[in-house]
Amino acid sequence: METQTSKFKDNIIFIILIILAVAFLAPILVVIMNSFKGKFYISDTPFLFPNNTTFVGLENYISGLDKTGFINAFGMSLFITVGSVAVIVLFTSMTAWYITRVKSKFTNSLYYVFTFSMIVPFQMVMFTLTKVANVTHLDNPLGIILIYLGFGSGLSVFLFSGFVKSIPLEVEEAVMMDGGSPVQTFFRVVLPILKPTAITVSILNVMWVWNDYLLPYLIIGTEYKTIPIAIQYLKGGYGSIDMGAMMAMLVLAIIPIIIFYLSCQKYIIEGVVAGAVKG
Amino acid sequence: MEKSMKKYFGLFALPTLLAFGLAFVIPFLLGIYLSLTEFTTVTDAKWVGLSNYVKAFSNQEFLNALGFTVAFTVVSVITINVFAFIIAMLLTRGKKGTNLFRTVFFMPNLIGGIVLGYIWQLILNGILINFDVTLTFSAEYGFWGLIILMNWQLIGYMMIIYIAGIQNVPKDVVEAAKIDGASRFQVLRNVTIPLVMPSITICLFLTLSNSFKLFDQNLALTAGAPSKETAMMALDIYNTFYSKTGMEGVGQAKAVVFFVLVALIALIQLVLTRRKEVEN
């Protein structure tokens, strides 16, 4: 009796979840569907499948790629994201190790300033950061990597420091006693131990930098476009939007994210939980 | 060990500190200073005391944005957390396809705000066209549109955190409560929720600060239309800086107010909910 009612309940829960899952996927499916429709049919009947009259094949993709320079934008997004995340993981892990192991009033207050920076919204530094980037000539794709390191270091230093505190000192001391320099100790011993946190830090930063709109737009946006900027330009530059091109570009913007997600899903979900629990 | 490490300050700490100084410390301090001046190019700043703040608070658009942001944040924090918690409960109870469901529910979170905004613009306008209106017809449509969008984006993220919390609740405690005759609702209220409080703290904090600071989604979905009625604070500050000259000082003052509000919310919320957490 008991097992039968619980089986029944399991089935109800399963059906509710299926309905929810379909509702969650529907928006993306609607966009994909519309990316193959003629631009004048999209606004009126967005929920109908393309048919003989409305189907246009890859036309939207071709005109979208042309109008947005999507391929360049993709390369730019990739360059900035990979560069920034690599630099963030390398330098903030070194910094976190240093300020955790070298105890002084200075390193202690540094820790608090990094933590404090996590709650400061971007708008607070939006205007002044743009000016600083101009004056220091960091307003280019290489410079913006340095800016991401600076503005993003708060969370990353915080996460790495939390983990360094949990590593017993003895291991590092033993290596240094044997004549290992701090550089050797860090790269041979500490960094490998930090790997789980490094994955968390990478994932949180990839999600941020890849999708970030305002910072690259204000600092380099007029010359070099990232994907979010290219998509926003499609809206801004043409008066009435070409809905077909828009749909096609939305699909192209989502595909890399889905591939990234499905290929390292386990790390992403674990990383998000780890980041949330410590943050 | 400390001594030998100290010499390596330049290698280990300096690169991050330089970048942090340039990208955060200097802009932050300069921002506070400029909020007390009138300027268009930073170098022509003239000290005006608190007058930018007075202007900010007597600016109807800013007050509207503040009201809209607060209302949006309250509704979205409640809806996102309630739905995320319910789905997390279902997923920790149901057996079939759990991983697949987690994958699907979490996915929208990785899609960037600008893209999310245009996806939902299409869907919502597609529904509203049946009633001969669009998203930008009335501020109410934009408001609920943003709520739906935020729910779609964040439910999966919060769900993941709630699942981690629920799975940490010891099974024997729940069993013991049931044997003592507690109803399902009593177990939830008196056992599960208190033990999941750390997850609730984190989820409230994340939804609160994400909702309050919303920008990209707001820009893409309605861009504030009709007539700036759906502009949230971040968008209002952006517009103050970049769509009219001479207002930079006021924009910076608004930004400082925004920062103070975000910081206060974060502090109050953490203190309040940490107090309710149960040690386990």
Side-chain angles (χ1 to χ4, degrees), chain A residues 79-80 84 133 136-150 215 219-220, chain B residues 19 22-23:
Chain A
F79 173 76
I80 292 177
S84 303
T136 52
H137 301 293
L138 292 173
D139 48 358
N140 54 63
L142 262 178
I144 204 170
I145 290 175
L146 199 72
I147 292 175
Y148 272 120
L149 167 64
L215 195 152
I219 289 172
I220 57 166
Chain B
L22 276 175

Side-chain angles (χ1 to χ4, degrees), chain A residues 62-97:
Chain A
I62 293 161
S63 74
L65 286 173
D66 186 44
K67 280 182 184 166
T68 54
F70 189 89
I71 292 169
N72 284 337
F74 180 84
M76 190 49 61
S77 279
L78 198 64
F79 173 76
I80 292 177
T81 305
V82 171
S84 303
V85 174
V87 165
I88 287 173
V89 169
L90 176 67
F91 287 113
T92 62
S93 61
M94 298 202 308
T95 307
W97 186 56

Side-chain angles (χ1 to χ4, degrees), chain B residues 11-62:
Chain B
L11 177 69
F12 280 98
L14 203 58
T16 311
L17 283 183
L18 280 177
F20 185 65
L22 276 175
F24 178 77
V25 180
I26 294 172
F28 181 82
L29 297 175
L30 193 59
I32 292 178
Y33 163 70
L34 287 178
S35 74
L36 301 164
T37 67
E38 207 169 275
F39 66 97
T40 49
T41 59
V42 179
T43 39
D44 64 353
K46 268 190 318 213
W47 188 265
V48 292
L50 290 174
S51 87
N52 287 329
Y53 289 87
V54 175
K55 279 183 198 159
F57 278 110
S58 51
N59 179 319
Q60 196 52 46
E61 278 166 18
F62 184 61

Side-chain angles (χ1 to χ4, degrees), chain A residues 224-270:
Chain A
Y224 308 93
K225 295 177 193 134
T226 59
I227 292 174
I229 299 169
I231 285 175
Q232 181 64 16
Y233 260 70
L234 199 54
K235 162 84 186 296
Y238 294 86
S240 65
I241 336 166
D242 178 342
M243 286 297 275
M246 179 60 108
M247 292 306 121
M249 292 309 103
L250 292 179
V251 173
L252 291 188
I254 297 170
I255 288 172
I257 293 166
I258 293 184
I259 293 174
F260 170 67
Y261 178 45
L262 294 180
S263 52
C264 29
Q265 190 194 342
K266 189 183 141 225
Y267 297 110
I268 291 174
I269 288 183
E270 277 173 12

Side-chain angles (χ1 to χ4, degrees), chain B residues 145-221:
Chain B
L146 278 170
I147 296 281
I148 294 170
L149 187 162
M150 271 306 257
N151 271 269
W152 191 62
Q153 183 184 11
L154 286 181
I155 281 175
Y157 197 127
M158 301 310 140
M159 173 202 79
I160 293 288
I161 299 171
Y162 282 129
I163 287 175
I166 292 168
Q167 281 173 340
N168 275 336
V169 175
K171 285 228 167 59
D172 47 332
V173 181
V174 178
E175 285 305 316
K178 277 184 186 159
I179 290 167
D180 289 346
S183 69
R184 186 162 287 219
F185 180 71
Q186 281 173 323
V187 173
L188 179 71
R189 224 195 110 161
N190 300 319
V191 181
T192 312
I193 289 183
L195 287 172
V196 177
M197 212 54 206
S199 300
I200 297 177
T201 305
I202 294 153
C203 288
L204 285 180
F205 178 73
L206 289 174
T207 44
L208 203 58
S209 60
N210 271 318
S211 303
F212 207 81
K213 294 192 285 192
L214 201 69
F215 179 83
D216 295 8
Q217 290 86 335
N218 192 199
L219 179 72
L221 193 74

Side-chain angles (χ1 to χ4, degrees), chain A residues 9-11 13-14 16-18 20-21 23-28 30-31 34 42-44 46-47 91-92 94-95 97-99 101-104 106 110 113-114 116-132 136 138 146-147 149-151 153-154 157 169 172-173 176 181-183 186-187 204 207 211-214 217-218 227-228 231-232 235 241 243 246-247 250 253-254 257-258 260-262 265 268-269 272-273 276-277 279, chain B residues 1-2 4-9 11-17 19-32 34 39-42 87 90-91 93-97 99 101-116 118-127 129-130 151-153 155-157 160-161 164 184 202 205-206 213 215-216 219-220 223 233-235 237-238 241-242 248 252 255-256 258-259 262-263 266-267 274:
Chain A
K9 266 183 205 156
D10 276 357
N11 284 335
I13 290 174
F14 186 68
I16 295 173
L17 289 171
I18 291 266
L20 277 171
F24 260 75
L25 288 176
I28 294 173
V30 170
V31 172
N34 281 288
I42 293 170
S43 306
D44 292 342
F47 305 122
F91 287 113
T92 62
M94 298 202 308
T95 307
W97 186 56
Y98 185 90
I99 66 172
R101 290 297 185 234
V102 177
K103 295 260 173 257
S104 71
F106 177 62
L110 277 183
V113 180
F114 277 122
F116 165 77
S117 76
M118 283 163 50
I119 60 161
V120 176
F122 180 68
Q123 274 67 24
M124 175 64 203
V125 298
M126 177 171 68
F127 191 82
T128 45
L129 175 56
T130 314
K131 294 292 164 199
V132 171
T136 52
L138 292 173
L146 199 72
I147 292 175
L149 167 64
F151 195 71
S153 55
V157 168
L169 253 178
E172 294 159 37
E173 275 174 344
M176 291 209 198
S181 72
V183 179
F186 180 77
F187 285 100
L204 294 175
M207 286 166 59
N211 289 322
D212 197 18
Y213 166 72
L214 205 45
Y217 172 68
L218 291 175
I227 292 174
I231 285 175
Q232 181 64 16
K235 162 84 186 296
I241 336 166
M243 286 297 275
M246 179 60 108
M247 292 306 121
L250 292 179
I254 297 170
I257 293 166
I258 293 184
F260 170 67
Y261 178 45
L262 294 180
Q265 190 194 342
I268 291 174
I269 288 183
V272 162
V273 173
V277 172
Chain B
M1 177 174 155
E2 259 194 67
S4 55
M5 273 184 76
K6 254 188 181 161
K7 283 179 268 173
Y8 286 82
F9 175 80
L11 177 69
F12 280 98
L14 203 58
T16 311
L17 283 183
F20 185 65
L22 276 175
F24 178 77
V25 180
I26 294 172
F28 181 82
L29 297 175
L30 193 59
I32 292 178
L34 287 178
F39 66 97
T40 49
T41 59
V42 179
I87 297 179
L90 293 180
L91 277 177
R93 196 169 296 175
K95 286 152 195 120
K96 273 184 271 178
N99 277 329
F101 288 128
R102 279 183 213 187
T103 306
V104 170
F105 294 142
F106 184 79
M107 191 176 55
N109 194 262
L110 282 112
I111 302 173
I114 294 284
V115 176
L116 284 170
Y118 288 114
I119 293 176
W120 279 97
Q121 197 182 58
L122 171 82
I123 310 262
L124 295 169
N125 275 334
I127 296 168
I129 200 170
N130 296 315
N151 271 269
W152 191 62
Q153 183 184 11
I155 281 175
Y157 197 127
I160 293 288
I161 299 171
R184 186 162 287 219
I202 294 153
F205 178 73
L206 289 174
K213 294 192 285 192
F215 179 83
D216 295 8
L219 179 72
M233 285 182 88
L235 184 58
I237 293 167
Y238 175 84
F241 274 123
Y242 296 105
E248 286 84 354
Q252 192 56 52
V256 174
F258 185 53
F259 151 66
V262 172
L267 275 177
R274 286 260 184 242

